[in-house]
Amino acid sequence: METIGLIGGMSWESSAAYYKDLNLGVERRLGGYSSARTVMASVDFAEVTALGQAEDWDGVAAILAEAARGVEKAGADFLMLCTTTFHRVAEQVEAAVDIPLLHLADVVADAAKARRCDTVALVGTTFAMSRTFFTDRIASHGLQVQVPAAEQHEMVNAIIYNELVHGKVLDSSRRKIIELLDQLWDGGAQGVILGCTELELLIEQADVEVPLFPCTTLHVEAALDRAL
C-alpha cells in the first residue's frame, strides 16, 4: 500500500471527510483491521481564504507548497489537495515536490466520460464557478462544462461558507440546491459535478434524478485505486 499525502484544512470538515472515506475504503477493499496509510498537513483555512480573497495566489501557493514538501518528507508517495477552490494553485504545488499530484479535475473528467457524458455542470464556490482554472482542466478532456447563472453563485457560496464549513446542514438549503441542480439538468447538463467537498454533506444521489459526480468520493476512490 502506498502512502497518500493529503493537504487539508480547506475546510477541516472537508479534511475529515477525506480521512474517513479513505479509511472506510481501505477497510471495504482489504477487510479486517486494514486502514489507509496517510500523511496530512492541515493549513489554516482563515489564512489561505484571506489570501485568496486578496488575489494573492502566490501567497496561497507558498503555503500549500510548504505543506506539500512536509508531506513528501514524511513519506507520501503521491499528493492530494483536499479542496476544489485551491486547485487554483495545483500546478505550483506540484512543481514544489518530486511526487505526483492526483489532480481532482482529471479524476472528475474521467468519471464523467465513463458515464458517457458530453456536457456537465459544475456547482461549487463562487470562485470555482466564476473562474476557469477548474472548468478549463475538465474541458481539456473533451467535455463541455456549464456553470450556474451568475446571480445564483452567491446563494451557493453562502450555503458553503456560512453553513457547511461549520457543519451546519439545513433542509432549507438542501431544497435550494436541489432546485438548482434540476435547473441545470433542464438546461442540458447530463451530469452535475458537486465541486466542493462540503456539498456532499448536503446532497446525495438519492435527492435528485440528474447524475451526480461528487468530487470527494471520486477523488478518494481514485486515490485508493492508486495506493492499492
Side-chain angles (χ1 to χ4, degrees):
M1 186 191 306
E2 290 190 337
T3 299
I4 303 168
L6 305 167
I7 307 301
M10 300 167 286
S11 66
W12 70 261
E13 289 278 357
S14 167
S15 306
Y18 267 87
Y19 183 76
K20 179 180 178 180
D21 290 352
L22 284 167
N23 281 286
L24 287 173
V26 170
E27 182 182 48
R28 183 179 66 251
R29 294 187 186 204
L30 300 183
Y33 298 115
S34 298
S35 58
R37 293 184 182 273
T38 62
V39 178
M40 179 183 286
S42 188
V43 302
D44 180 0
F45 190 40
E47 182 179 17
V48 293
T49 296
L51 290 170
Q53 289 174 342
E55 297 292 339
D56 183 2
W57 291 102
D58 287 340
V60 173
I63 291 171
L64 300 190
E66 180 181 7
R69 286 189 289 267
V71 165
E72 181 181 29
K73 289 178 182 178
D77 293 296
F78 64 95
L79 188 65
M80 303 172 73
L81 293 175
C82 303
T83 168
T84 303
T85 297
F86 292 100
H87 268 75
R88 166 67 174 75
V89 296
E91 292 181 0
Q92 292 161 274
V93 173
E94 186 173 26
V97 294
D98 293 322
I99 56 176
L101 172 74
L102 185 59
H103 199 293
L104 178 57
D106 296 339
V107 169
V108 172
D110 287 345
K113 291 171 70 175
R115 293 282 294 271
R116 300 186 181 277
C117 291
D118 299 314
T119 302
V120 292
L122 172 73
V123 176
T125 64
T126 293
F127 188 83
M129 293 187 289
S130 63
R131 307 295 178 92
T132 63
F133 68 95
F134 202 74
T135 53
D136 281 352
R137 180 90 175 211
I138 296 172
S140 72
H141 291 264
L143 296 167
Q144 296 292 322
V145 188
Q146 303 173 350
V147 295
E151 59 268 20
Q152 296 172 310
H153 291 188
E154 182 51 40
M155 178 270 290
V156 179
N157 206 64
I159 289 171
I160 293 169
Y161 280 100
N162 297 341
E163 299 169 18
L164 297 176
V165 300
H166 301 294
K168 297 178 181 178
V169 180
L170 305 180
D171 287 338
S172 57
S173 295
R174 180 178 292 109
R175 289 191 292 271
K176 292 177 183 177
I177 297 298
I178 288 173
E179 182 179 359
L180 173 59
L181 299 186
D182 287 341
Q183 291 171 4
L184 292 168
W185 196 21
D186 291 342
Q190 297 167 315
V192 177
I193 299 164
L194 296 182
C196 179
T197 302
E198 287 83 7
L199 284 173
E200 292 179 51
L201 302 173
L202 186 67
I203 297 292
E204 56 187 40
Q205 186 63 72
D207 296 320
V208 292
E209 293 185 61
V210 60
L212 296 181
F213 296 102
C215 278
T216 300
T217 299
L218 294 171
H219 211 190
V220 164
E221 289 301 315
L224 292 174
D225 288 344
R226 182 168 193 144
L228 299 176

